[in-house]
Amino acid sequence: LAFCRGRVVRVPKGPLIRVVDTEVVIPCSVSDYDGPSEQNFDWEFSRETDFMRIVSTWDSTFTSEEYQKRVGHGDIKLRRSSNDAVELVIRNIQPTDQGRYKCSTPSTDATVQGNYDAEVQVKVISDGLSVSGSKARSSMSLRLSEGDSFKLRCSAITTSLEHTHLHVTWQIKSGSTWRDILSLTHEGKFQLGPGYEERYHNGDIRLDTGANDTYRLSVSQASPVDGGAYRCLVSEWVRGADSSWQKIQEKSVEIASVAIQRTDVVISTSNVSVTERDSLDLTCNITTDRSGIFQAEVMWYFSASPDDTLSDAQVLLSMDRDSVVSDSTLISLSYVDRNCYHLLVRDVDVEDSGYYFCQAAVWVPLHNGSWHKVVERTSAPVSVVVTALEPDYEVFLNASKTPKFSDDPTELNCRITNAQDTEANIRFTVSWYYRQRLRSDDVATEELLATMDADWTLLLGDRSRERTQNGEIIFSKKAVDTFSLRIQWTSESDRGDYFCGISAWSRHRNNSWVKSKDVTSASVSIFWAIQDYTLTVEAVKLKPFFVAGHTFEMTCKVSSKNIKTPRYSVLITAEKPLTDQSNPNGTTRIISLNQDSVVRLEDWTDQTRVDGVVLEKVQENEFRYRMYQTQISDAGLYRCVVTAWSPGGGGMWREAVNGLSNPIQIDFQMSGPVFNVSVHSDNPTIYQGELADLLCIVTMEGMALEPDDMSFDVSWFAVRSFALDREPVLLASLDRRGIVMQSRRNGSSDLSLERISPLEFRLRVHGCEDHDFGNHYCVVTPWVRSATGVWQREPDIKAKPIFLSVKMDVLNAFKYPLLIGIGLATVIGLLSCLIGYCSSRWCCKKEVQETRRERRRLMSMEMD
């Protein structure tokens, strides 16, 4: 293939059949060449043997004398289509131009190889194609109504001796351009123009052939886009030597000019505004020049939006082509003539506001007696605004009750005044609003308290919902024209501006209520000056001097300011010395009396003196506290803690302010012995499982007492840490009556607490465990009997802690496991030896049998 490669010059395969007086274009191209990309071409013509030079792309003197005139006038020219292709164009070809045409290319190759020219035969035939319109006249004018039908005819025939085919196309001219409608191609196929597919499939556009070579275009349901000039375009085609179709000529003739009169549907009025209860009259006009028999079908629609489609709109009324009107009570439809239809809506309402439009369809009779709908149009929507009949009234708001203090009631009345045009179809509802008063220039937003809808259903706002449900806020209607808002107990957060709005509702034809007007009242300010609450408490000791065993008595006098009808609750507290271990915080709540005069013991835990403290109310602002049979342990500072209460909402009391009195001191002169406590252990470091002994030793200094005149409450505590940074844990206690109390324990160790001497108490921990370690100490409460025989409690005494350390006994811990292991190993070894001996003795024994030796003599050869 590489050796066969060379320059190739190509022209169409002939013969080329062309019609006289038409333009002929003969292409020529070259490929597989060397040299520059742009190649030159020479064209020559021969009728018989000799070739005459026609034209060249590179030599202006190439043209023969016979063709110089035609080439100079442009009747023959070369048109380059690319660097390697040109076209020979001959205008108005004549029979003398029939012959052989040769295309040559000068060589630019390094070696001469391939073909450098190619020839094609051109055959010129006579023009046998004729195209004409209707026989009546060459071009006609049609004026039709929208929806009509029309037919146009075109005659096309050819007398060519060659086997040619006709291609017929119907075109319409709208503006300056022609558009294809429908074609019957030279291959016998129908070809649709753009935009006519649907109408062709519906049968509205057809192309039929008839006798005498006629082609008929039928158009049904004509629309305005069908208006324009129509022509018949016919082209003649012939199949070439390469089996491809070639168009050899084309002719056209204008058939008719068609004008389509559009049918419009309009509403005579534009935007309409009517008053409620009046009548609405709209007219739908059908504009058409149709003069024959036809009937109109009209349908009226209503829509809330101008953009709604027919499927979304509401059908009001309709009239068919037989003038039958659909039934309606308040809406009627009538017609003046077949082009004018009236819609009448009586007693219009506000809900009739919206957009109205009508749809009209024109029907014409057919030859078989049936009716055919030729056109259907919908008008543009008309806006209708129905103005409501607003009642005329004013709103006045006043406060019948205003608060002067917190928790006072507030009552506001919203009244309708100067009401006019308030007929039975009008009802009023109220809305209550609150606006907070700001000190700065900021604008406060309105908060809805409550509102009523058309059926007087109360809808609560977020601010008042909970309080209304609790009965603290009441909304009511006192009279036909009066609405009330009552706050049972007004709080400081309720201070601000209040106003009401009265809404008028109108009843429509369907018994629904629609708001027609809102009127808002002026605001009413609810405000009172707030002064700080003041509370003063003074404590007085009635008996300046007393001794242990006597009764302590003090009074608390209370005075307050800016508190409405206050009540007081009193709490008696005692601040004990830091040495008192009964209350490490230093303050003890003894007894209280609330605002309802209910007495309660707080932290008073002395069971022997349950009735030893009394708190009573002497006057409205004076309270007295008594403590009988005082003891030395009662020494400390006593105060009155007073709380002032004011009446709150719902019969409840609200805390206003707290006050603290001056301290009253109870102090005893100590003339008896002084007790000291210490903790001792002979062995503070022990091993697990051993017994731990801890001694609590009480010593006395000063005056000696008989053992029967003193007694002790002893409590043992433990802190499970080295640094005393944890809470102490009560282990056991022994009261002065000898009753022992132990706390719950989690481990296996046990405790015992006993008195071994009048001044010594021993705590034993049996079977100590590792969690029994820590700092241990005892707290002793001495009781001393006075000369009068009364037992006096001394302050609690805390001993210095001692640290108990519990260690693990390693030998004892591993003794039993080692013994058990050695014993098991010995038993297993002996058992293994016994099993081995038995196996070797009985199980593995073999019996050895001696084989018998046979004796035979040699046999003789003969026997063998």
Side-chain angles (χ1 to χ4, degrees), residues 21 34 104 246 253 331 335 410 441 459 504 544 547 584 673 727 845 849:
D21 292 331
D34 296 332
S104 304
Q246 302 173 8
V253 59
I331 306 175
Y335 69 96
T410 300
D441 296 335
L459 305 176
V547 295
E727 291 292 331
K845 184 179 181 181
Q849 296 182 0

Side-chain angles (χ1 to χ4, degrees), residues 426-442:
I426 300 294
R427 66 170 50 169
F428 296 98
T429 60
V430 68
S431 298
W432 291 96
Y433 297 91
Y434 165 80
R435 185 188 302 116
Q436 185 180 5
R437 175 178 292 185
L438 301 178
R439 296 181 179 179
S440 60
D441 296 335
D442 297 338

Side-chain angles (χ1 to χ4, degrees), residues 681-702:
S681 177
D682 293 336
N683 188 13
T685 301
I686 60 176
Y687 290 95
Q688 289 185 359
E690 293 184 350
L691 175 66
D693 282 343
L694 300 175
L695 294 178
C696 182
I697 303 172
V698 181
T699 59
M700 290 189 301
E701 297 178 2

